[in-house]
Amino acid sequence: MSGARITAALDRYQRRHPWAGLPLAVIYKFIDDQGNVLAALITYYAFVSLFPLLLLLVTVLGYALYGNEELQRQVLNSALSQFPVIGEQLQTNIDPLQGKVLGLVVGILGSLYGGLGVAQAGQNAMNKVWAVPRNARPNPIKARGISLLLLLLLGGGVLTTTVLSALTTSADEYGSDLGVGARILSTVLSVAVNAVLFVVAFRLMTAEHIRADQVRGGALAAAVGWQVLQQIGTYYVGHELKGASATYGVFGLVLGLLAWIYLGALVIVLCAEYSVVRAKRLWPRSLLAPFTDNVRLTEGDRRAYSSYPMTEKHKEFETVEVDFDEPDASAGPKGPDAQEPD
């Protein structure tokens, strides 16, 4: 069988089977939207904000729990357990700063800069994947107001998931030995809280009005993905990276931190793309559409390609029109395989 026949057979199969065609459409849209760049921007600001946040945390602990260093350490460790790949190294390199006004000021300013940057990058990513025209996006002042609201909401959620994470990853430090059932329940609760947070965040970060049911699946997938990343990271650290801190030092810490944040950002962007593909029916896609112009586009292809120019519309009175010329007849007839699924 020739390569062209094999490709055509695979194309027909993925168009007719959602389990194959839907993930392919999500990947294609992720590539079209330069999702890796969107994730990298989120990673940058998250990296910038993390250490000021830790500085602010340990400084506040120094004020609030003055004289109780053991309790300070337990609270800090429970927060760092959210980052299992590098949390153990951070635990051994960050000490509480009791009563340091400079640490408080630097922590607040750095956290605001980085936190607002993360929220702004998140808004940019969500508006990009939902193809929101630039003229329909909030102005810089309103956008930062939304970012502050997001920081308040997500901050409360992080506190909740930090406590739940401590039950599953740091229970021994509190003198407790949780059973399997309690650990599973704690994990389920963490996923549930994160799923609600992602639903709220996805809606707030998108200038276009979207319903909760449109992002519910993507939010749940993001929550599960984040939990899986934490569990895999915890296992990998415990079995594969013992002694890595002494070997690689600060260099390994920075690389591990960047890699961990980037993976998390990729999961979030991919899950957002999944919600868009489902909500706007941007599938099935033609298997060869990203690779050649000699192809008949599906309706999913046309809807996707028509939405991209709309993101660059800067004024309400600006008109953006998209038209498609039929490809050369050598591309072959469209055929029933290009129809939308029932």
Side-chain angles (χ1 to χ4, degrees), residues 224-301:
V224 172
W226 176 251
Q227 191 67 31
V228 169
L229 279 176
Q230 285 186 307
Q231 297 300 325
I232 292 177
T234 300
Y235 175 84
Y236 192 69
V237 167
H239 293 79
E240 303 293 338
L241 296 184
K242 291 181 179 179
S245 177
T247 303
Y248 301 108
V250 176
F251 184 70
L253 172 65
V254 172
L255 287 182
L257 181 57
L258 283 172
W260 181 253
I261 296 175
Y262 183 66
L263 283 175
L266 279 179
V267 168
I268 293 172
V269 174
L270 277 170
C271 291
E273 296 281 18
Y274 168 80
S275 294
V276 177
V277 170
R278 287 294 303 270
K280 296 191 174 184
R281 292 185 62 81
L282 304 182
W283 65 284
R285 300 287 296 270
S286 172
L287 186 63
L288 296 180
F291 308 103
T292 178
D293 286 341
N294 190 24
V295 63
R296 290 297 181 96
L297 301 178
T298 67
E299 290 302 316
D301 287 320

Side-chain angles (χ1 to χ4, degrees), residues 192-232:
V193 171
N194 284 330
V196 173
L197 290 176
F198 278 122
V199 168
V200 173
F202 284 172
R203 297 186 69 190
L204 280 178
M205 288 190 295
T206 308
E208 179 179 305
H209 175 71
I210 53 177
R211 303 186 308 273
D213 62 290
Q214 291 179 305
V215 296
R216 184 173 53 207
L220 180 59
V224 172
W226 176 251
Q227 191 67 31
V228 169
L229 279 176
Q230 285 186 307
Q231 297 300 325
I232 292 177

Side-chain angles (χ1 to χ4, degrees), residues 299-319:
E299 290 302 316
D301 287 320
R302 291 172 179 266
R303 281 193 284 267
Y305 291 136
S306 296
S307 69
Y308 301 150
M310 293 301 298
T311 63
E312 299 304 319
K313 180 181 176 181
H314 287 258
K315 298 297 180 183
E316 179 63 31
F317 49 81
E318 179 182 358
T319 301

Side-chain angles (χ1 to χ4, degrees), residues 15-40:
R15 294 189 194 188
R16 292 170 173 168
H17 295 81
W19 73 266
L22 183 58
L24 182 70
V26 172
I27 293 173
Y28 279 5
K29 190 170 188 306
F30 177 84
I31 295 172
D32 291 339
D33 289 334
Q34 294 185 306
N36 59 326
V37 177
L38 300 177

